[in-house]
């Protein structure tokens, strides 16, 4: 794959017209294939889709050609495509009486209903690499779960400049083109930059400034309002596969990206990464990652999953197809992974998200938490709201907090938990039904406080009323409650009535 020539973007606009006319879109695929066959593609299972495309309509031919990479008879390809332009552009190739695709083209629905297309190497747009092997170290993958996760958590406010570091097939650059005046995309692999150019052109998006190089080298000391990166974060012995292996010891690649990002951010700018990190014997993972955060930046680190070193090694050995190789070779490679981890005293590996916001604060907020529970994507607004809440809390001491007015966030409900028929609940839970979908148990004071927060009374006045009802000393209640209020604000259950931080 890494040695074949790629199509020219010159005929992209004409090909885009042909694809859209045939309804070769995300919605069109769902209508044609049906939900079971459509979702099976995400599991690398193509048989249902092949069975659903046995006819010779233009859409069926395009699906078999570009998405499933099956040869199509020339007469059927002629009906589906502007054949001369597609041939001239190098998107397809002649193979006797059949036509074959030279690249993988996958319809991708944008967040506002845009019909986009992600272009990648053959066999790599659906379900990952599927075992690319050593000879394909330069392979460029299409859309995967990591790509869509990063796109979903990214803050989407309008910005002047955005950097997609390690662009791959260009999905993050494509998203950034919606809200950034200027998009720069970099990659160590020049083939990835060529695919990004094709993805943007075929999607009808503006061109990006494409630069070759590692990490921040291609952009020198330039600064940005938004930096996004789905880097080759896999912690492995060596760097066999460019698309996934960082080539640095342990989690040094992710650490380097995070620690150097602060110098490339404009004030108020965000840097958002997917990452893997080591759980090292004798160290708390939260403290390791806090040490990565650059000066002047707030950070929100969310660990979504943890695997022990054997699970982790097996996951990525399957990814590269090593489990299908000679058993002795597989055992040797497996052993090399375990040797690497043992030499670094690594007992497990964490997966998650790291978001930086350059606040310039003397006392930055650095939150590192484990959250393996379900969330509601997209989370970009929730991420932005998290940092706005940190600004609010940093600017309000306990006295200011008690003087302010609050409202219960719109997506929060109160649940009473107890035995059937009991007069009083055992406890009360506040639960979010959007964003991070957090839930927190509150005591009688907390439940009463949250229940009457409608912005009318200050927090202090509400506590005074609760103290009177409960027969408590109002001064003592005011002294011991601000910490609980602060936590409810920090986690998005309560909002200042002024609307300073958004819900999330």
């Amino acid at each position: 794959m890494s040695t074949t020539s790629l199509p020219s973007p010159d005929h992209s606009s004409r090909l885009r017209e042909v694809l859209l006319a045939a309804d070769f879109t995300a919605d069109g695929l769902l209508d044609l294939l049906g939900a079971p066959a459509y979702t099976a593609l995400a599991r690398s299972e193509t048989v249902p889709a092949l069975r659903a495309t046995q006819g010779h309509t233009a859409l069926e031919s395009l699906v078999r050609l570009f998405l499933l990479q099956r040869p199509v008879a020339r007469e059927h390809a002629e009906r589906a495509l502007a054949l001369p332009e597609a041939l001239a552009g190098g998107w397809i190739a002649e193979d006797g009486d059949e036509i074959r695709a030279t690249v993988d083209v996958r319809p991708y629905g944008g967040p506002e209903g845009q019909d986009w297309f992600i272009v990648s190497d053959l066999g790599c747009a659906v379900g990952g690499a599927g075992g690319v092997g050593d000879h394909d170290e330069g392979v460029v993958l299409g859309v995967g779960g990591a790509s869509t996760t990063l796109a979903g958590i990214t803050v989407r406010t309008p910005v002047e400049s955005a950097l997609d570091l390690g662009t791959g097939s260009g999905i993050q650059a494509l998203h950034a083109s919606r809200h950034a005046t200027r998009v720069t995309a970099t990659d160590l692999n020049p083939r990835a930059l060529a695919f990004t150019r094709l993805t943007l052109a075929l999607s009808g998006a503006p061109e990006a400034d494409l630069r070759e190089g590692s990490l921040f080298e291609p952009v020198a000391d330039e600064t940005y309002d938004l930096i996004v990166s789905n880097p080759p974060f896999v912690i492995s012995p060596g760097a066999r596969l460019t698309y996934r292996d960082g080539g640095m010891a342990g989690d040094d690649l992710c650490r380097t990206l995070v620690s150097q990002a602060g110098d490339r951010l404009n004030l108020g700018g965000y840097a958002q990464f997917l990452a893997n990190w080591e759980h090292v014997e004798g160290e708390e993972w939260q403290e390791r990652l806090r040490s990565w955060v650059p000066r002047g930046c707030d950070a929100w680190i969310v660990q979504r999953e943890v695997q022990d070193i054997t699970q982790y090694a097996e996951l990525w050995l399957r990814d590269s197809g090593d489990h299908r190789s000679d058993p002795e070779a597989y055992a040797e490679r497996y052993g090399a992974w375990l040797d690497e981890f043992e030499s670094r005293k690594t007992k497990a590996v964490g997966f998650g998200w790291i978001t930086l916001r350059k606040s310039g604060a003397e006392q930055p907020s650095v939150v590192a938490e484990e959250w393996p529970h379900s969330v509601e994507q997209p989370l970009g607004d929730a991420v932005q709201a998290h940092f706005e809440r940190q600004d609010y809390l940093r600017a309000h001491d306990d006295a200011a907090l008690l003087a302010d007015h609050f409202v219960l966030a719109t997506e929060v409900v109160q649940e009473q938990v107890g035995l059937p028929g009991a007069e009083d609940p055992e406890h009360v839970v506040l639960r979010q039904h959007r964003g991070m979908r957090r839930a927190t148990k509150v005591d009688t004071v907390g439940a009463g406080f949250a229940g009457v927060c409608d912005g009318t009374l200050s927090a202090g006045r509400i506590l005074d009323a609760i103290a009177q009802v409960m027969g408590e000393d109002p001064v003592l209640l005011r002294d011991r409650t601000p910490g609980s209020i602060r936590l409810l604000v920090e986690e998005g259950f309560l909002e200042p009535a002024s609307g300073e931080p958004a819900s999330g």
Side-chain angles (χ1 to χ4, degrees), residues 157-439:
T157 53
V159 294
E160 174 63 28
S161 57
L163 170 64
D164 176 12
L165 193 152
T167 186
S169 57
I171 181 175
Q172 309 306 329
L174 182 57
H175 276 277
S177 71
R178 293 174 46 242
H179 62 103
T181 303
R182 177 169 49 88
V183 177
T184 301
T186 71
D187 207 288
L188 180 63
N189 181 4
R191 187 174 177 81
L193 299 178
F195 272 116
T196 294
R197 182 178 289 110
L198 294 174
T199 289
L200 294 174
L202 195 58
S203 298
E207 294 183 5
D209 179 6
L210 305 177
R211 305 187 192 182
E212 181 182 345
S214 176
L215 302 179
F216 289 104
E217 292 174 2
V219 300
D221 58 354
E222 296 175 39
T223 58
Y224 298 87
D225 302 312
L226 173 67
I227 299 172
V228 292
S229 183
N230 176 18
F233 52 64
V234 176
I235 301 169
S236 61
R240 290 172 56 204
L241 302 172
T242 305
Y243 74 88
R244 69 167 207 195
D245 297 329
M248 295 186 181
D251 52 20
D252 282 355
L253 182 134
C254 292
R255 177 187 57 80
T256 300
L257 271 179
V258 174
S259 63
Q260 293 183 357
D263 292 335
R264 273 75 177 189
L265 279 177
N266 295 325
L267 189 64
Y270 289 88
Q272 300 188 255
F273 310 97
L274 299 187
N276 280 185
W277 46 80
E278 295 172 299
H279 285 223
V280 178
E281 187 177 337
E283 297 183 32
E284 294 292 332
W285 72 267
Q286 295 94 332
E287 292 307 312
R288 286 194 75 244
L289 268 67
R290 287 190 182 103
S291 72
W292 295 5
V293 177
R295 183 184 302 272
C297 287
D298 295 336
W300 187 16
I301 302 162
V302 181
Q303 180 167 273
R304 295 287 288 157
E305 184 181 356
V306 180
Q307 289 187 333
D308 67 46
I309 57 175
T310 60
Q311 292 174 308
Y312 188 81
E314 290 162 13
L315 169 67
W316 295 110
L317 287 168
R318 287 194 302 271
D319 172 81
S320 55
D322 287 305
H323 62 302
R324 296 194 296 266
S325 66
D326 175 73
E328 290 187 7
Y330 174 76
E332 183 178 348
R333 280 189 169 158
Y334 197 151
W337 283 70
L338 298 184
D339 288 344
E340 174 76 10
F341 287 133
E342 289 171 6
S343 70
R344 299 178 58 81
K345 297 183 179 180
T346 301
K347 57 184 181 180
V349 176
F351 300 71
W353 322 322
I354 299 176
T355 300
L356 307 177
R357 197 271 306 261
K358 191 162 186 176
S359 63
E362 293 184 6
Q363 295 182 325
S365 165
V366 179
V367 176
E369 62 175 324
E370 188 160 10
W371 192 255
H373 314 294
S374 64
V375 299
E376 182 187 58
Q377 286 275 35
L379 274 171
D381 289 346
V383 171
Q384 182 181 3
H386 168 89
F387 288 97
E388 290 175 346
R389 292 194 295 269
Q390 308 314 307
D391 287 341
Y392 172 85
L393 292 170
R394 194 158 36 211
H396 290 71
D397 60 15
D398 287 354
L401 207 64
L402 291 176
D404 211 344
H405 298 234
F406 297 93
V407 295
L408 196 64
T410 55
E411 79 281 3
V412 174
V413 297
Q414 189 177 105
E415 301 173 355
Q416 295 186 348
V417 181
L419 294 174
E423 184 175 344
D424 297 313
E426 291 180 16
H427 57 264
V428 176
V429 173
L430 300 180
R431 187 179 303 278
Q432 300 170 352
H433 285 277
R434 297 181 61 190
M436 294 293 286
R437 294 178 173 169
R438 297 185 188 276

Side-chain angles (χ1 to χ4, degrees), residues 24-43:
F24 186 65
T25 63
D27 289 341
L29 288 184
L30 182 58
D31 290 341
L32 172 68
L33 302 178
Y38 186 78
T39 55
L41 288 174
R43 304 191 300 270

